[in-house]
Each structure stands twice: as structure tokens, then as C-alpha cells.
Amino acid sequence: MSRESLADKAQSRVGHTFAKKWRADRLLDIGGMAAVYAATHRNGNRVAIKVLHGIYSADNQVTQRFLEEGYVANKVGHPGAVNVLDDDVLEDGTPFLVMELLEGESLEGRLKRENVMPASSVLFVADRVLDVLQFAHDKGIVHRDIKPANVYLVADGGVKVLDFGLARVRERSLKGSMTRTGMVVGTASYMPPEQARGKRDLIDARTDIWAVGAMMFKALTGRHVHEGDTVNERLLAAMSEKARSITTLLPSLLPAVALVVDRALEFQKTDRWVDANAMQVAARDAFEALEKKPFPTAHRTGTSLFPPPSPASAAALTAAGAEFAVSVVFEPDATNESIVVDFEDPSGNQERYEVRRKPDSTPPGQSAEGEELYDVSIVELIDE
């Protein structure tokens, strides 16, 4: 089903009552897996409701996974993770999740309006995101899709992380298309090498750390870590090229701030910050070096760093974008440096690229014997 068809279906539900108690007031957003509405309970409480698209709800396994993974944020146990309050089904059996309704805007929305943010604001947002991620990682939960669209700047100055578990739902929904090594899900501009290459078994907490670095890079410079005219080109660069230092774009950036970003974006996982807490400590040190004052101790002191938009917008999650099927093939050659990538967009258009890795860009986790070189992976991408 095309995005236009999904949007029409989603819009048609506005004004209807879900499960005889939730009135859908307006459509907030629509993504590849679900549509999100602002809704009002019959008792007057306002919430956000995420409804799985019908094309997925016919699959019992995906439906069950949608409901199970929807509660992952609750397991994180941090106030910065958007919790699920309830779940139910529509009359046609389509499942939905009930979540807290946020007032403010996503970091993506802020950057679309302002392009960049001051370094102090970016460090504050990163600190709040890393605080949530440390809680998640301690429980063995990896977000796998940290990006500006999934970071919400709440009107009261807080920061919320959205969509815990949604990446796993997408991954399971494409299970029938899996090849030998499976698939991963992510957003091309915020995917580290191991994720871009479809190495699902190599994804861990340091994958999220790279994504936080990429998010900071974008917020500080207005540009992506790896640039290209298409999502395909950015993905290929993520697979094979080291991230450029942020100082190539911002030479006057305080070294302490640059260090936070550059180390997070290291190609090899072992060279990145050891965990979210270590990166958070560095971010706070950089903030204090920049502002010449202690880092704000309260959770909600960001109003002066990023004042709320006017008028405030309400939203719960976003996962918009174009999805691409990608086959990543490692060609057997003498040097094991050739990568062939086949792309197919939602319209069926196909492209093939060949990338030659640089000598110093060995894929993270690859053994000296070159194992895993001949696997094929399917990757669902979100163009952003």
C-alpha cells in the first residue's frame, strides 16, 4: 500500500471512537508501521494513540510483537522514555497503543525550523537522551533508531525519547523476506557501520552511542555525518567510510565539545565511548567548559536552552520516510574489499552500486580470517 493510501486510511479514522472510549481528535503523524492520533477518553483525559497499519495487523505474529514491544519503554524505567498506558483493538481487530500525549516538538521539527542549535542546547539534549539510554542499556535494551525525529523537546523543558521497541517490530514484520543473516532497521543518516552493513548480531549499546553522535553532528552543523544526494549514497558511505571530524565543518568548536561527537562517531565500536554514562560525563564536562557554570541538575531546566515553539504542537512519535529494500553483498575477491549493494525502492526501481572499502575501514567485528564476508542482508531504511 502506498504512503498516500495509508494516509487516506489514517485520516478517515479522525472523529471516530476507538474501543468505545477513545475519540480520535486529529491525526498527528503517520509512519511506516503506524499512525498516531491525539485522542480524548470519555472521561476527558487526553492521550496519544498509535494504531498499527492494517497491512501488518493481519499478521498475528507482528500484531503480538507490536503490543509486546510497545511496552519496552515501560521496562526502561526512566521518566524520559515515553510510556505506554494501555492497549486495545479497533472493531476490525487492528491493535493500538495508548501513550502519554506530549506538548512541544521533536528535535527534527526544531532543526527543520532553525537548521542548527547552540552547542549548549545540543549538549543538554544529548545528556538527557544518554541518561535514558544508560537505563535502557543496563536492562539489555538497545533503541537502534535514535535520531532527531525520536527525540522530543517537551514544552516544560524536558526531553523524551520515543519509539523504544519499534525497530524490533519492523524487523519482525519483514521476517518472511530475511536471507541468511537477517535484517536490521534504521535511518540511513544515523546508522553506524555495523548497522548499515546489516550485521544484526553486532548491534549493541555502542550502536546507540554512534547515533547520538550523529544526532549531535546534525544539530550542530545542519548537515549529516555522511552526505550524498540520495539515501543510498549515505548508506554506502556509512558502510565503508570513517566519519569526518565535526571540526572540518566547525573549526572553532570548543575541543571538549568536538571530542564528545567525534569519539561517538568512531568507525570501530571499540573506539567509541565505552557506554552512555561515559559519553554523558564528557558531555557535561564540555557544557561546563563552554558555559563556565555547572551543568543543570534538574531534569527539566531546558526551557532557557530551547524555548517551546509557539504555538506548541502535540505529538507522540514519528517514523516517516521512504522504505528501501537493500541487499548487501560482499564479493569474494583477493582483498575482500569489494562490496556490491543492490537497492530497490517502494516503486520497484532497482540500482546496483559497488563500493571498495578503504584499507583502514575493516567492518566492525569482522575476524582476521574475513568471516561473514559472503553473507547477504536485507535492510529496511528510512530516508532522513
Side-chain angles (χ1 to χ4, degrees):
M1 184 180 293
S2 68
R3 184 171 176 81
E4 291 74 17
S5 298
L6 291 175
D8 290 342
K9 176 65 176 178
Q11 188 63 47
S12 70
R13 294 196 183 105
V14 174
H16 290 204
T17 300
F18 298 166
K20 299 181 180 180
K21 54 185 175 181
W22 304 101
R23 186 185 70 248
D25 299 323
R26 59 193 176 97
L27 179 65
L28 294 177
D29 197 11
I30 181 168
M33 287 295 296
V36 184
Y37 302 84
T40 304
H41 191 272
R42 60 192 176 198
N43 64 12
N45 287 339
R46 298 181 67 238
V47 297
I49 290 182
K50 177 166 60 177
V51 181
L52 186 67
H53 291 321
I55 57 175
Y56 298 112
S57 61
D59 187 320
N60 290 333
Q61 288 188 338
V62 175
T63 295
Q64 186 61 32
R65 179 61 60 176
F66 174 74
L67 295 175
E68 291 175 358
E69 294 295 342
Y71 285 95
V72 168
N74 296 20
K75 298 176 183 178
V76 172
H78 192 288
V82 178
N83 286 348
V84 171
L85 309 175
D86 196 6
D87 65 80
D88 212 322
V89 296
L90 303 181
E91 291 183 358
D92 63 2
T94 302
F96 65 83
L97 299 169
V98 181
M99 304 173 293
E100 58 183 304
L101 181 66
L102 304 178
E103 299 291 341
E105 66 177 340
S106 68
L107 178 58
E108 179 187 50
R110 178 61 59 93
L111 294 177
K112 283 182 177 179
R113 205 174 67 248
E114 299 181 358
N115 191 41
V116 298
M117 292 172 61
S120 56
S121 300
V122 175
L123 289 165
F124 179 85
V125 173
D127 172 86
R128 296 292 80 213
V129 172
L130 290 164
D131 207 61
V132 177
L133 289 177
Q134 188 62 58
F135 267 65
H137 296 163
D138 285 345
K139 294 176 173 64
I141 300 169
V142 179
H143 190 288
R144 300 194 291 180
D145 198 19
I146 292 294
K147 58 184 178 181
N150 282 338
V151 173
Y152 205 84
L153 310 182
V154 188
D156 67 359
V159 176
K160 294 275 190 174
V161 179
L162 312 176
D163 279 3
F164 271 100
L166 191 61
R168 287 176 58 85
V169 177
R170 286 202 194 93
E171 184 176 299
R172 297 291 179 129
S173 73
L174 293 177
K175 188 174 182 180
S177 301
M178 288 176 67
T179 58
R180 283 177 294 167
T181 56
M183 71 191 81
V184 293
V185 177
T187 303
S189 297
Y190 301 94
M191 293 172 68
E194 64 274 14
Q195 192 173 10
R197 297 173 65 87
K199 301 300 180 183
R200 184 173 55 170
D201 58 322
L202 298 180
I203 292 175
D204 60 20
R206 291 166 295 183
T207 300
D208 282 347
I209 286 174
W210 197 99
V212 174
M215 181 182 72
M216 295 179 70
F217 192 104
K218 171 69 167 149
L220 288 165
T221 69
R223 294 162 67 176
H224 293 299
V225 175
H226 298 296
E227 294 186 307
D229 293 333
T230 66
V231 60
N232 305 356
E233 293 175 358
R234 293 198 296 275
L235 179 72
L236 292 171
M239 292 179 188
S240 57
E241 297 178 13
K242 288 185 176 181
R244 53 188 167 167
S245 171
I246 193 170
T247 57
T248 61
L249 298 179
L250 295 175
S252 62
L253 187 65
L254 188 72
V257 180
L259 174 64
V260 176
V261 179
D262 287 347
R263 185 168 177 182
L265 295 174
E266 287 287 353
F267 192 91
Q268 296 288 347
K269 292 194 300 181
T270 53
D271 293 333
R272 299 172 200 163
W273 296 105
V274 66
D275 56 26
N277 182 65
M279 185 175 176
Q280 182 183 37
V281 170
R284 291 188 172 195
D285 288 345
F287 182 98
E288 293 178 358
L290 181 68
E291 292 294 313
K292 309 299 184 187
K293 62 181 180 181
F295 188 86
T297 55
H299 290 313
R300 290 185 170 87
T301 55
T303 50
S304 62
L305 296 173
F306 43 90
S310 181
S313 60
L317 89 160
T318 182
E323 296 166 3
F324 293 78
V326 183
S327 295
V328 183
V329 185
F330 301 95
E331 293 287 86
D333 65 10
T335 61
N336 287 329
E337 291 182 355
S338 178
I339 307 174
V340 176
V341 185
D342 292 330
F343 291 88
E344 182 175 350
D345 67 21
S347 301
N349 300 315
Q350 297 180 337
E351 296 179 85
R352 167 165 285 197
Y353 294 83
E354 180 174 356
V355 180
R356 295 191 61 80
R357 287 198 304 274
K358 296 178 180 179
D360 60 349
S361 58
T362 303
Q366 180 186 309
S367 72
E369 292 74 26
E371 61 186 19
E372 300 184 10
L373 280 178
Y374 311 116
D375 291 338
V376 178
S377 299
I378 301 297
V379 184
E380 183 192 22
L381 294 178
I382 297 173
D383 186 6
E384 191 172 286

mmCIF file of all heavy atoms in Angstrom, residues 16 49 132 163 171 190 206 240 325 356 363:
data_model
loop_
_atom_site.group_PDB
_atom_site.id
_atom_site.type_symbol
_atom_site.label_atom_id
_atom_site.label_comp_id
_atom_site.label_asym_id
_atom_site.label_seq_id
_atom_site.Cartn_x
_atom_site.Cartn_y
_atom_site.Cartn_z
ATOM 1 N N HIS A 16 -13.672 9.272 14.779
ATOM 2 C CA HIS A 16 -14.242 8.004 15.217
ATOM 3 C C HIS A 16 -13.846 7.717 16.663
ATOM 4 O O HIS A 16 -12.893 8.281 17.196
ATOM 5 C CB HIS A 16 -13.767 6.868 14.321
ATOM 6 C CG HIS A 16 -14.344 6.923 12.940
ATOM 7 N ND1 HIS A 16 -14.468 5.810 12.143
ATOM 8 C CD2 HIS A 16 -14.856 7.945 12.215
ATOM 9 C CE1 HIS A 16 -15.010 6.140 10.979
ATOM 10 N NE2 HIS A 16 -15.237 7.444 10.997
ATOM 11 N N ILE A 49 -2.571 8.028 20.623
ATOM 12 C CA ILE A 49 -2.871 6.638 20.291
ATOM 13 C C ILE A 49 -2.143 6.255 19.007
ATOM 14 O O ILE A 49 -2.246 6.964 17.994
ATOM 15 C CB ILE A 49 -4.390 6.407 20.135
ATOM 16 C CG1 ILE A 49 -5.061 6.516 21.506
ATOM 17 C CG2 ILE A 49 -4.675 5.051 19.511
ATOM 18 C CD1 ILE A 49 -6.552 6.253 21.490
ATOM 19 N N VAL A 132 18.606 8.417 29.500
ATOM 20 C CA VAL A 132 17.593 7.392 29.209
ATOM 21 C C VAL A 132 18.259 6.125 28.677
ATOM 22 O O VAL A 132 17.926 5.003 29.092
ATOM 23 C CB VAL A 132 16.558 7.913 28.196
ATOM 24 C CG1 VAL A 132 15.557 6.818 27.832
ATOM 25 C CG2 VAL A 132 15.821 9.126 28.748
ATOM 26 N N ASP A 163 9.754 5.771 20.714
ATOM 27 C CA ASP A 163 9.850 4.591 19.841
ATOM 28 C C ASP A 163 10.774 3.485 20.312
ATOM 29 O O ASP A 163 11.346 2.773 19.492
ATOM 30 C CB ASP A 163 10.250 5.000 18.421
ATOM 31 C CG ASP A 163 9.063 5.502 17.623
ATOM 32 O OD1 ASP A 163 7.967 5.581 18.202
ATOM 33 O OD2 ASP A 163 9.227 5.815 16.448
ATOM 34 N N GLU A 171 11.496 -5.115 12.168
ATOM 35 C CA GLU A 171 12.366 -6.233 11.815
ATOM 36 C C GLU A 171 11.572 -7.526 11.745
ATOM 37 O O GLU A 171 11.689 -8.302 10.800
ATOM 38 C CB GLU A 171 13.474 -6.335 12.858
ATOM 39 C CG GLU A 171 14.503 -7.402 12.573
ATOM 40 C CD GLU A 171 15.613 -7.363 13.604
ATOM 41 O OE1 GLU A 171 16.287 -6.320 13.693
ATOM 42 O OE2 GLU A 171 15.762 -8.352 14.330
ATOM 43 N N TYR A 190 21.674 8.010 10.409
ATOM 44 C CA TYR A 190 22.019 7.823 11.818
ATOM 45 C C TYR A 190 22.401 6.372 12.109
ATOM 46 O O TYR A 190 22.347 5.934 13.252
ATOM 47 C CB TYR A 190 20.838 8.266 12.698
ATOM 48 C CG TYR A 190 20.491 9.713 12.449
ATOM 49 C CD1 TYR A 190 19.498 10.065 11.533
ATOM 50 C CD2 TYR A 190 21.208 10.739 13.054
ATOM 51 C CE1 TYR A 190 19.211 11.386 11.251
ATOM 52 C CE2 TYR A 190 20.931 12.063 12.783
ATOM 53 C CZ TYR A 190 19.935 12.383 11.876
ATOM 54 O OH TYR A 190 19.663 13.699 11.600
ATOM 55 N N ARG A 206 26.708 0.432 21.861
ATOM 56 C CA ARG A 206 27.578 1.378 21.162
ATOM 57 C C ARG A 206 26.992 1.792 19.811
ATOM 58 O O ARG A 206 27.404 2.802 19.237
ATOM 59 C CB ARG A 206 28.970 0.776 21.002
ATOM 60 C CG ARG A 206 29.719 0.650 22.336
ATOM 61 C CD ARG A 206 30.937 -0.227 22.238
ATOM 62 N NE ARG A 206 30.567 -1.618 21.943
ATOM 63 C CZ ARG A 206 31.433 -2.610 21.855
ATOM 64 N NH1 ARG A 206 32.726 -2.374 22.039
ATOM 65 N NH2 ARG A 206 31.030 -3.836 21.584
ATOM 66 N N SER A 240 31.328 2.126 4.675
ATOM 67 C CA SER A 240 32.734 1.993 4.291
ATOM 68 C C SER A 240 33.638 3.157 4.666
ATOM 69 O O SER A 240 34.860 3.037 4.565
ATOM 70 C CB SER A 240 32.815 1.813 2.770
ATOM 71 O OG SER A 240 32.192 2.899 2.106
ATOM 72 N N ALA A 325 14.338 -1.663 0.170
ATOM 73 C CA ALA A 325 14.915 -2.991 0.364
ATOM 74 C C ALA A 325 16.340 -2.936 -0.151
ATOM 75 O O ALA A 325 16.593 -2.449 -1.252
ATOM 76 C CB ALA A 325 14.115 -4.038 -0.403
ATOM 77 N N ARG A 356 34.318 0.097 -2.752
ATOM 78 C CA ARG A 356 35.570 -0.533 -2.326
ATOM 79 C C ARG A 356 35.968 0.081 -0.998
ATOM 80 O O ARG A 356 36.164 1.284 -0.885
ATOM 81 C CB ARG A 356 36.659 -0.336 -3.388
ATOM 82 C CG ARG A 356 36.323 -1.038 -4.685
ATOM 83 C CD ARG A 356 37.513 -1.074 -5.636
ATOM 84 N NE ARG A 356 38.659 -1.787 -5.073
ATOM 85 C CZ ARG A 356 38.777 -3.113 -5.050
ATOM 86 N NH1 ARG A 356 37.822 -3.862 -5.542
ATOM 87 N NH2 ARG A 356 39.857 -3.687 -4.536
ATOM 88 N N PRO A 363 35.276 -3.852 8.536
ATOM 89 C CA PRO A 363 33.970 -3.855 9.193
ATOM 90 C C PRO A 363 34.075 -4.215 10.665
ATOM 91 O O PRO A 363 34.820 -5.144 11.021
ATOM 92 C CB PRO A 363 33.192 -4.927 8.416
ATOM 93 C CG PRO A 363 33.886 -5.031 7.109
ATOM 94 C CD PRO A 363 35.320 -4.751 7.385
#
